[in-house]
Amino acid sequence: MSRPARAFIDLAALARNYGVARSQHGGRTLAILKADAYGHGAVQCAHHLAPQADGFGVAFGEEAAALRESGIQSPILVLEGFFSEHELQQFHQQRLWTVVHHEEQLQMLEHARLPAKSLDVWLKVDTGMRRAGFGLAAIRSAHARLSACVAVNRIVLMTHFARADELDVDMTRQQIHAFDTATQHLAGDRSLCNSAGILAWPGARRDWGRCGIALYGASPLAQPRARLSPVMRLESEIFAVRDILPGDCVGYGGSFTADRPMRIGLVAMGYADGYPRAAGNGTAVGIDGARSTIVGRVSMDMLAVDLTELPGCGISSKVEFWGENIAINEVAARAQTISYELLCNVKRVRKVYTGARPGQ
């Protein structure tokens, strides 16, 4: 028997979430597949979404190339843009859209030897995140220079929100206003919304949305505003059971001490699989559909769960770490992190895809 740790990926749920986001946004929407589709498998997700998605977004060129090599013909936007003139040539050859967000990229485009109107460019405006993008005072000049580039076909103006998941903070409104003011009368479509923007900021919805974490069924908001379906169910099985006595410690560091007779199960799942070590003691799990908790620290390859009140559970019982019954945001909160990191960290476990279209 092979090790039972698995990540079940529900492609039908992925498609539903994309439909929810696109409908909410009210315009064309990119499905963001960077970081191997947030740990879900970019190639598999892209092929399932290709018939309905307006296009895809990835972080860098190699991620886009892998999709093209797998047969994906849809538009692909590279969010970090190109790093060299050679890579810019590759973007042209692979028919990729590129973000341009700093002076050196703009200069490379101005000197590029590419066919006329062969490259779609998304021009990024820094409206307050202070990470990537041209400053507000520089955006008109950058837009004019791009427009003068022989190779540039279409320009889309974009920005990125820093705090759109914080609904009681005014920064998102400030960013929207700054973007509108700086880009007024400039030609081109607009793209402002990430997942939180799509779900919670109607005033930011424009020509293109960019759906990331919501695509995978994890809300970026503390209080979800749309019905999203978890796409990944992280699961394993109990492979050993033992009884412990009051005073017995479980796991490294003795972080858990039994105060009563207990029955615990060992599960094939650890931080080397991507389950967060920081979660540990008291974090919720589902065992054959019933709710229980982790006992002690998470180890590299295994962890322990409480079976004391679950006499019908034992060896081969299924343990869900997140999915339909255990919300990934709940686990993230216990580990003092975010769902994005948990999903991206999943590794070593076998992925099992369900919900595929016939013939896929």
Side-chain angles (χ1 to χ4, degrees), residues 21 24-25 161 163-165 167 172 176 192-206 209-210 220-221:
Q24 191 100 346
H25 183 259
F161 293 138
R163 303 179 70 177
D165 57 328
L167 305 188
T172 301
I176 295 169
L192 283 76
C193 286
N194 54 5
S195 287
I198 289 171
L199 298 174
W201 296 93
R205 298 168 190 159
R206 306 296 169 79
R210 308 185 306 274
L221 308 174

Side-chain angles (χ1 to χ4, degrees), residues 61-290:
E62 287 88 343
E63 291 184 331
L67 295 182
R68 285 284 185 254
E69 289 166 6
S70 78
I72 293 297
Q73 301 300 314
S74 309
I76 302 174
L77 175 65
V78 182
L79 294 164
E80 290 183 356
F82 47 91
F83 288 87
S84 66
E85 293 181 10
H86 175 69
E87 189 173 36
L88 177 56
Q89 295 287 337
Q90 291 178 323
F91 279 23
H92 162 64
Q93 293 165 7
Q94 295 168 357
R95 297 172 291 103
L96 304 177
W97 298 351
T98 183
V99 170
V100 168
H101 58 80
H102 64 86
E103 175 65 23
E104 287 72 21
Q105 288 177 325
L106 181 48
Q107 290 180 15
M108 280 188 268
L109 256 178
E110 288 177 320
H111 296 97
R113 295 183 177 180
L114 293 174
K117 297 191 179 300
S118 60
L119 194 69
D120 283 5
V121 174
W122 289 43
L123 177 59
K124 191 164 192 175
V125 187
D126 177 11
T127 56
M129 189 159 180
R130 302 296 181 261
R131 192 177 63 173
F134 289 88
L136 299 174
I139 200 63
R140 290 185 178 276
S141 172
H143 187 276
R145 289 167 63 188
L146 274 179
S147 299
C149 289
V150 173
V152 172
N153 177 35
R154 181 183 60 161
I155 299 174
V156 177
L157 291 150
M158 70 178 296
T159 194
H160 192 59
F161 293 138
R163 303 179 70 177
D165 57 328
E166 300 175 74
L167 305 188
D168 57 346
V169 173
D170 200 46
M171 185 173 182
T172 301
R173 290 187 185 86
Q174 295 171 8
Q175 286 190 259
I176 295 169
H177 176 72
F179 179 88
D180 288 342
T181 302
T183 63
Q184 188 175 20
H185 303 311
L186 294 181
D189 285 349
R190 269 62 170 164
S191 177
L192 283 76
C193 286
N194 54 5
S195 287
I198 289 171
L199 298 174
W201 296 93
R205 298 168 190 159
R206 306 296 169 79
D207 303 289
W208 289 90
R210 308 185 306 274
C211 184
I213 192 65
L215 186 64
Y216 307 101
S219 178
L221 308 174
Q223 298 295 325
R225 292 196 168 193
R227 185 178 292 277
L228 302 172
S229 305
V231 175
M232 180 189 292
R233 182 174 83 252
L234 186 64
E235 180 184 288
S236 191
E237 295 180 7
I238 294 171
F239 65 86
V241 175
R242 64 178 306 165
D243 296 315
I244 62 173
L245 299 173
D248 285 347
C249 296
V250 178
Y252 287 113
S255 64
F256 178 86
T257 302
D259 60 1
R260 59 196 170 107
M262 294 182 67
R263 182 169 169 263
I264 63 170
L266 297 182
V267 188
M269 177 65 64
Y271 59 76
D273 301 299
Y275 191 79
R277 182 177 182 273
N281 249 338
T283 302
V285 294
I287 305 176
D288 286 348

Side-chain angles (χ1 to χ4, degrees), residues 34-56:
K34 62 182 181 177
D36 199 28
Y38 292 46
H40 292 72
V43 168
Q44 294 85 348
C45 291
H47 278 277
H48 189 78
L49 288 174
Q52 72 180 119
D54 298 305
F56 300 111

